[in-house]
Amino acid sequence: MNFPCERVYNASYKGNRPEAPDDLIPQFSLVRDVTECLGIPNLGVVGYEADDCIGTLARRYSDHMNVMILSGDHDLLQLVSDSTSVIIMKKGHGNYMHYTPETLYAEKGLTPRQVIDVKGLMGDTSDNYPGVRGIGEKTALKLIQEYESVEGILENLESLAKGVRTKIEADLEMLHLSRALAEIHCEVPMECELDLCLLNVDHERALTKLEELEMKSLGHLFGVAVVS
């Protein structure tokens, strides 16, 4: 199997994440069972990140329909396009931010592609790649907004403040690696037929599963008739 770029070859990538708790592991198969009984397809390819699978499907289908991605992961903002929007869940019930190219630029002053460059500069501690040591989000945003890209920054190193230039020059290799790790890869070998994704709940099967899990009260969310 072919794996996506440096994500696999960089041994430290996400290496700081602890192993899943023992009591959590059985719940993964339980989640798959529940989504299956609700008619929701479980998609994924061994060796590939969920972000890459989402990006692959978004790119594939955005050519002929509008795609909306609902997530709490700001990394997915790089997928925003004229036909793909990213809806970020925030704290509080029903609190969302709907990102299009226009709202992304209005809020952050960035294009979708520049989201990757900012992450390359500032790194991501949760994914265990440092970016350029000593450069945080505020400086990364300022640099990308002024010079447009990592390449633009490198072409204008002499114009940078000495401290910033020294940090970038000292971590140049890590800058390129971090940017590669930050980028979502949209060529995962996966299939997903749209007609299989239509929400078509088997009410009897869904109710049986919800009763089994003592979650019968959730039936109304899926139009499942709950009999007391």
Side-chain angles (χ1 to χ4, degrees), residues 21-173:
D22 290 340
D23 57 354
L24 176 63
I25 294 174
Q27 296 184 46
F28 295 144
S29 60
L30 187 58
V31 169
R32 286 193 290 270
D33 289 344
V34 171
T35 54
E36 182 183 349
C37 85
L38 293 172
I40 301 172
N42 291 291
L43 303 174
V45 179
V46 175
Y48 289 87
E49 300 251 342
D51 286 358
D52 297 328
C53 295
I54 293 170
T56 297
L57 295 176
R59 176 174 292 180
R60 182 176 301 167
Y61 294 122
S62 63
D63 288 340
H64 52 274
M65 66 177 62
N66 290 323
V67 173
M68 293 187 291
I69 301 170
L70 176 64
S71 177
D73 186 354
H74 285 72
D75 290 352
L76 292 169
L77 293 176
Q78 63 187 267
L79 299 176
V80 168
S81 71
D82 290 337
S83 54
T84 299
S85 57
V86 175
I87 304 167
I88 296 292
M89 298 180 291
K90 298 191 174 185
K91 289 184 178 179
H93 180 69
N95 189 13
Y96 304 95
M97 179 63 189
H98 190 162
Y99 287 97
T100 63
E102 293 75 24
T103 57
L104 176 62
Y105 191 81
E107 182 178 288
K108 299 182 180 294
L110 298 173
T111 66
R113 183 70 197 179
Q114 288 174 327
V115 171
I116 305 170
D117 286 358
V118 168
K119 289 294 293 289
L121 282 164
M122 62 179 281
D124 189 327
T125 54
S126 65
D127 286 342
N128 206 33
Y129 57 86
V132 176
R133 286 169 292 182
I135 290 186
E137 182 177 10
K138 184 177 179 180
T139 301
L141 281 168
K142 181 180 178 181
L143 289 170
I144 294 301
Q145 289 167 349
E146 183 171 355
Y147 296 104
E148 298 186 352
S149 67
V150 167
E151 286 75 19
I153 295 169
L154 298 180
E155 290 170 2
N156 292 278
L157 281 176
E158 295 304 316
S159 302
L160 303 182
K162 183 178 178 181
V164 173
R165 182 175 71 247
T166 300
K167 290 172 184 175
I168 291 174
E169 289 175 336
D171 261 345
L172 195 56
E173 183 177 349

